[in-house]
Amino acid sequence: MKPTMPAFQDARLLVAGDVMLDRYWHGKASRISPEAPVPVVRVGKREDRPGGAGNVALNIAALGSAATLVGVVGADDTADELRSRLEAAGVYCEFLRSPDKPTITKLRVIGHQQQLIRLDFEQRFNAADTEGLAGKVAGLLAEAQVLLLSDYDKGGIGDVGELIALGRKQGIPVIVDPKGNDFSRYRGATLITPNLAEFEAIMGPSDNETELVAKGEELIKRLELEAVLITRGELGMTLIRPNAPELHLPARAQEVYDVTGAGDTVISVLSAALAAGEKLTDAVVLANLAAGLVVGKLGTAAISAPELRRALIEEQDSGRGIMSASQLHIAVQDARDHGERIVFTNGCFDIIHAGHVGYLDEARKLGDRLIVAVNDDASVRKLKGPGRPINPLDRRLRVLAGLGAVDWVVSFSEDTPEDLLRDLRPDVLVKGGDYTLDEVVGGELVKSWGGEVQVLAFIDDCSTSAIVEKMRQADGDTSTD
């Protein structure tokens, strides 16, 4: 599984949920109060950020996707501040204003980068406050590719079942970040994303992975869902689908700094990737990667598209390059365990030319991973004669490893790569040049385990031998001048 960066700019999402403002007061806590055994914080910096469903919409906008946010706020200055910050980030807001309840606000006091206390200013919204919310959602759904419900159990989401029905009637996925002890209200959603504590509060504790998956499948059946994604903190996350193997993804964070808003990032990236046309499994991989980034930041924070793109590139580059045969065996087994299709090609690759590059690009498109096996110097001399190779093995390996299409490079000393083929058992064997399928060495071997054999043409008039001959002629011409 090797996801690419989605076309987030083409995605349009509608977010409905509990909107709130996250306030941060930063300062130094250098002494204890004489009035009580508590630290005294000298506040030096104040910061406001959209929270709850607002943070979800902000994350979507940071990816470059179009985000529309529906929710309930108070008739106060806090609501105006919240709208101003969201609209400045590119989020279109459709708010209902409660005349007698405040905009939900969470104030966190931070001393020396450590959260010391959180103060919540809120009253639970009721049916009178959310009257008209479903109508707003219905009027906006025609422009959305995904409906995302961000439920913080504050009462601001209204009748969840009605919103799910609206989304399914529109024919778009409905993704829910659930809260509370009654998941029956999420019946019919496409996917829900509880954390492990929320999941076990509903389904009971699980002693092992098998039990966790079984309970996830039971929840899917009970609520008529298509999938459940369980976020598990330091254990990563698990995607469970009916009639499909579960997908366990390890946590990606190098250092956990603050988990605030991590769930918002997961559901935002997941939903935006689905809206951009990605498969569910690839969307989950991207969401897991983004979660590893956001927990390294303080407070609610959005992951931008460039941040995610860089992390994705670094993730995909890990484990690539020149390998020994034993290292490659492990890497291929891991790739195969993740459902990746392995492509294998081999050759001398003495002078890398345009024909090689184009051929390797085409070979890479036949699967998820491309292995290039390279003849060592002695075997090249045996095949090509004295004077070859022009470039020694280490240089040939380094050049090939630097090509974007190539995942792994390995050398072999035998006349043919058949020993490597037997060990690695690739899905596709590719050869470039003027070969027929019957002439490809190792072809019958690969076919014996159900693999494919393909021949791809080099670019016309490109070959190492031709290049070497031209160089010799040019050298001869120069000597006679």
Side-chain angles (χ1 to χ4, degrees):
M1 189 179 308
K2 197 172 182 181
T4 58
M5 190 68 177
F8 284 124
Q9 69 278 5
D10 297 331
R12 303 183 306 277
L13 295 96
L14 177 58
V15 180
D18 291 305
V19 181
M20 57 193 75
L21 185 72
D22 285 330
R23 285 205 156 116
Y24 297 87
W25 288 2
H26 301 267
K28 294 183 179 179
S30 56
R31 63 191 181 94
I32 300 298
S33 170
E35 303 167 356
V38 295
V40 175
V41 180
R42 185 183 295 275
V43 177
K45 177 184 175 183
R46 301 184 184 191
E47 186 179 8
D48 289 347
R49 304 178 190 174
N55 185 47
V56 171
L58 195 66
N59 269 269
I60 291 168
L63 294 168
S65 301
T68 297
L69 175 62
V70 178
V72 182
V73 295
D76 49 30
D77 292 342
T78 301
D80 296 335
E81 172 72 11
L82 187 57
R83 178 187 289 274
S84 176
R85 290 185 177 274
L86 286 165
E87 290 183 345
V91 177
Y92 176 74
C93 300
E94 282 279 358
F95 289 160
L96 298 172
R97 285 183 177 258
S98 170
D100 58 354
K101 297 184 180 69
T103 300
I104 297 172
T105 304
K106 298 180 183 296
L107 170 60
R108 297 171 177 88
V109 180
I110 312 293
H112 298 292
Q113 307 301 315
Q114 176 67 46
Q115 185 177 150
L116 302 178
I117 191 171
R118 193 183 90 181
L119 307 174
D120 290 0
F121 304 86
E122 65 180 69
Q123 295 179 41
R124 186 173 181 84
F125 294 115
N126 56 32
D129 299 309
T130 60
E131 185 178 356
L133 187 141
K136 282 186 178 291
V137 169
L140 294 164
L141 273 175
E143 297 299 319
Q145 296 156 322
V146 167
L147 173 60
L148 195 163
L149 304 180
S150 179
D151 189 0
Y152 273 76
D153 198 25
K154 307 297 182 183
I157 202 169
D159 186 342
V160 180
E162 184 179 5
L163 300 184
I164 292 172
L166 287 171
R168 300 315 295 262
K169 182 179 179 181
Q170 186 66 27
I172 64 174
V174 180
I175 313 301
V176 183
D177 187 3
K179 286 291 184 294
N181 295 321
D182 179 16
F183 277 15
S184 64
R185 55 183 171 165
Y186 306 125
R187 184 181 308 279
T190 306
L191 177 146
I192 64 174
T193 62
N195 62 38
L196 184 60
E198 292 165 342
F199 177 81
E200 291 189 335
I202 300 297
M203 303 302 296
S206 301
D207 294 330
N208 51 56
E209 301 292 331
T210 301
E211 191 173 344
L212 180 77
V213 171
K215 289 182 175 180
E217 292 173 341
E218 180 186 344
L219 183 63
I220 289 171
K221 184 176 181 180
R222 182 190 303 174
L223 300 184
E224 301 172 20
L225 309 171
E226 293 183 18
V228 171
L229 177 65
I230 306 170
T231 56
R232 305 171 64 188
E234 70 277 6
L235 295 177
M237 56 182 65
T238 298
L239 175 66
I240 303 170
R241 297 159 292 167
N243 305 316
E246 69 273 13
L247 177 63
H248 296 290
L249 295 173
R252 292 298 186 189
Q254 298 299 311
E255 180 178 357
V256 176
Y257 196 55
D258 189 345
V259 299
T260 305
D264 294 342
T265 297
V266 168
I267 198 169
S268 302
V269 174
L270 168 67
S271 300
L274 290 175
E278 296 297 311
K279 296 187 299 183
L280 176 58
T281 50
D282 287 345
V284 170
V285 171
L286 288 166
N288 188 50
L289 187 59
L293 297 175
V294 79
V295 296
K297 300 184 177 187
L298 179 63
T300 51
I303 299 300
S304 68
E307 285 180 286
L308 185 58
R309 182 182 295 108
R310 174 168 292 184
L312 185 60
I313 291 171
E314 291 174 352
E315 177 80 5
Q316 291 178 345
D317 282 346
S318 62
R320 298 175 75 248
I322 303 168
M323 291 192 170
S324 67
S326 57
Q327 290 171 326
L328 184 57
H329 177 90
I330 296 171
V332 168
Q333 185 59 52
D334 178 73
R336 184 168 284 116
D337 288 344
H338 285 83
E340 294 180 332
R341 182 174 166 89
I342 310 300
V343 182
F344 182 103
T345 191
N346 64 279
C348 299
F349 298 97
D350 193 358
I351 297 177
I352 306 297
H353 51 67
H356 288 132
V357 174
Y359 152 71
L360 292 174
D361 283 340
E362 291 301 311
R364 179 64 174 74
K365 294 175 183 178
L366 299 175
D368 301 299
R369 297 282 190 169
L370 175 60
I371 301 168
V372 180
V374 184
N375 296 79
D376 70 4
D377 292 347
S379 62
V380 172
R381 280 192 293 272
K382 186 181 294 186
L383 288 169
K384 302 294 184 180
R388 299 285 299 275
I390 304 296
N391 290 302
L393 178 63
D394 63 331
R395 294 183 182 178
R396 292 183 281 135
L397 294 176
R398 285 201 300 269
V399 171
L400 286 164
L403 297 179
V406 177
D407 291 285
W408 299 307
V409 186
V410 65
S411 64
F412 63 96
S413 57
E414 299 82 5
D415 291 341
T416 74
E418 290 188 343
D419 287 346
L420 276 174
L421 290 171
R422 288 189 184 91
D423 181 54
L424 303 175
R425 297 173 68 88
D427 301 291
V428 186
L429 172 61
V430 182
K431 195 66 178 174
D434 298 326
Y435 294 88
T436 65
L437 290 177
D438 293 338
E439 293 173 334
V440 176
V441 174
E444 292 303 317
L445 187 62
V446 172
K447 290 178 183 178
S448 71
W449 55 73
E452 303 173 19
V453 180
Q454 296 204 29
V455 174
L456 302 177
F458 282 168
I459 295 174
D460 289 342
D461 300 322
C462 280
S463 77
T464 300
S465 297
I467 292 171
V468 171
E469 184 58 32
K470 287 181 181 179
M471 291 170 63
R472 286 172 176 165
Q473 290 176 3
D475 183 64
D477 290 342
T478 300
S479 66
T480 59
D481 287 343

